[in-house]
Amino acid sequence: MSKYFSIFLVFMSTLFWGANFNVGKFVVEYLPPTVAAALRFSLASIVILIIVYFKEKQFKMAIKENFIMYLLLGFIGVAGFNGFFFLGLKFTSSFNGALIMATNPILTASLAVFILKDSFNKNLLYGMLLSLFGVLIIVTNGSLSKLMNLQISVGDYFIMLGNICWALYCVLCKRFLKNSKPLITTAMTMLSGTILLILLAYQDFNLTELISLPYSVYMSIFYMSIFGAVLAYLFWNMGVNNLGVGKTSIWFNMVPVFTVIISLIMGQSFYFIQIIGGFIVILGVIFSLNFFNFKKVYKIMRKSFSEKNI
């Protein structure tokens, strides 16, 4: 698989996750967050297990080699991440949540340095910091003074735990899984995480309420299951497998950008400075991936400028 196709897949996963915030906000108006998450991943697990059964003939061998790690990664990356994130949003604002999750690429890359012994080159670091600055502009509407008035709540700690869960999921998948293709990894971790989510949602489950839901809620759950879970997790795992943890994690900052773009399409008001923030995020991603040799461009421009002034 080529580098650029891998980047395209990761790009699509962030688009799907970005839309999840808009769709998920609509769904939780009708269902408790625990039930919504359990339904989403239950359908997603069924779909991806069917795909694995017909496509991956050696999946039984992968399960034997990685059974314990699949359980652990599912609890961390599916149940842990989603559970802590939605629980955190009950006690804190989406503003605080977005700020905390914006630190995920740097957290993930840092863990990769210590656990995977990955290199942490300057371009990657500068790109992450630039993207983080862009996210701050988006969520604060350009008023960075809001950061001085932040109040830490119990919800912030829950979201930070979810943040750590996602970073660990990305790194541990790369470190401990053996002979596990991205499709199998996605299916088995999703299945184990779903089992835990179902147990957590059991006390909130109401069959009568579920049957009487509007058709649009079912369609929203379908989207979050197929696009926001199956394809998003699969594409992300393929990116980690082909690009590495650090260069994949930087794309996570595109999630709030897509959330804002979709909100604009749906008629929500916006500030021009948020568009500037989005471009800064994209620039940071481009910089970190070394799409362009910035040093070479700088030298050419400097040489050209010097020759003109001879």
Side-chain angles (χ1 to χ4, degrees), residues 10 32 43 45 60 74 100 107 113-114 117 119 122 134 158 175 178 189 226 254 257 270 295 310:
V10 174
L43 176 57
S45 296
K60 292 182 179 179
I100 294 170
L107 175 61
V113 170
F114 290 105
K117 308 301 179 184
S119 59
K122 290 183 179 180
F158 282 132
R175 173 66 177 85
K178 301 176 181 177
T189 57
I226 305 304
M254 288 298 297
V257 175
F270 70 97
K295 289 184 178 180
I310 292 176

Side-chain angles (χ1 to χ4, degrees), residues 92-165:
T92 191
S93 66
S94 56
F95 167 75
N96 286 38
L99 288 179
I100 294 170
M101 292 307 298
T103 65
N104 187 268
I106 293 177
L107 175 61
T108 303
S110 299
L111 289 175
V113 170
F114 290 105
I115 298 176
L116 303 179
K117 308 301 179 184
D118 280 4
S119 59
F120 202 83
N121 60 67
K122 290 183 179 180
N123 273 15
L124 182 60
L125 175 60
Y126 295 154
M128 286 181 173
L129 292 176
L130 189 60
S131 288
L132 175 59
F133 179 65
V135 172
L136 294 181
I137 290 176
I138 292 171
V139 298
T140 63
N141 296 333
S143 179
L144 298 182
S145 60
K146 290 182 179 180
L147 297 176
M148 305 301 295
N149 301 319
L150 283 180
Q151 294 182 347
I152 304 300
S153 69
V154 65
D156 296 326
Y157 290 111
F158 282 132
I159 291 180
M160 179 53 70
L161 285 173
N163 194 24
I164 294 171
C165 283

Side-chain angles (χ1 to χ4, degrees), residues 173-190:
C173 277
K174 189 74 174 178
R175 173 66 177 85
F176 291 106
L177 292 180
K178 301 176 181 177
N179 302 315
S180 181
K181 296 180 180 179
L183 180 59
I184 300 176
T185 298
T186 304
M188 299 314 301
T189 57
M190 194 170 289

Side-chain angles (χ1 to χ4, degrees), residues 59-290:
F59 74 94
K60 292 182 179 179
M61 184 63 68
I63 294 174
K64 287 181 180 179
E65 289 188 71
N66 302 287
F67 181 74
I68 300 299
M69 283 307 302
Y70 285 148
L71 287 177
L72 178 62
L73 291 168
F75 291 167
I76 293 174
V78 177
F81 170 57
N82 287 278
F84 283 128
F85 185 76
F86 284 110
L87 182 61
L89 288 179
K90 279 188 173 183
F91 302 101
T92 191
S93 66
S94 56
F95 167 75
N96 286 38
L99 288 179
I100 294 170
M101 292 307 298
T103 65
N104 187 268
I106 293 177
L107 175 61
T108 303
S110 299
L111 289 175
V113 170
F114 290 105
I115 298 176
L116 303 179
K117 308 301 179 184
D118 280 4
S119 59
F120 202 83
N121 60 67
K122 290 183 179 180
N123 273 15
L124 182 60
L125 175 60
Y126 295 154
M128 286 181 173
L129 292 176
L130 189 60
S131 288
L132 175 59
F133 179 65
V135 172
L136 294 181
I137 290 176
I138 292 171
V139 298
T140 63
N141 296 333
S143 179
L144 298 182
S145 60
K146 290 182 179 180
L147 297 176
M148 305 301 295
N149 301 319
L150 283 180
Q151 294 182 347
I152 304 300
S153 69
V154 65
D156 296 326
Y157 290 111
F158 282 132
I159 291 180
M160 179 53 70
L161 285 173
N163 194 24
I164 294 171
C165 283
W166 183 249
L168 282 172
Y169 174 80
C170 295
V171 174
L172 296 180
C173 277
K174 189 74 174 178
R175 173 66 177 85
F176 291 106
L177 292 180
K178 301 176 181 177
N179 302 315
S180 181
K181 296 180 180 179
L183 180 59
I184 300 176
T185 298
T186 304
M188 299 314 301
T189 57
M190 194 170 289
L191 176 62
S192 60
T194 299
I195 293 173
L196 182 56
L197 284 173
I198 291 174
L199 294 175
L200 294 173
Y202 179 75
Q203 62 181 357
D204 297 324
F205 186 79
N206 186 319
L207 182 60
T208 304
E209 181 183 70
L210 184 63
I211 295 174
S212 61
L213 290 174
Y215 178 75
S216 56
V217 177
Y218 295 123
M219 292 304 298
S220 297
I221 293 173
F222 177 82
Y223 168 83
M224 291 195 299
S225 299
I226 305 304
F227 294 91
V230 174
L231 295 180
Y233 271 79
L234 176 59
F235 291 172
W236 187 266
N237 286 333
M238 291 172 73
V240 170
N241 189 59
N242 292 291
L243 298 174
V245 175
K247 290 186 177 181
T248 303
S249 66
I250 183 65
W251 283 93
F252 201 81
N253 275 336
M254 288 298 297
V255 173
V257 175
F258 285 126
T259 301
V260 170
I261 291 174
I262 294 170
S263 298
L264 298 180
I265 294 174
M266 296 173 65
Q268 187 171 323
S269 60
F270 70 97
Y271 295 89
F272 180 74
I273 191 66
Q274 290 178 302
I275 298 177
I276 302 299
F279 280 115
I280 292 175
V281 172
I282 295 170
L283 182 61
V285 172
I286 293 173
F287 191 92
S288 67
L289 292 175
N290 294 319

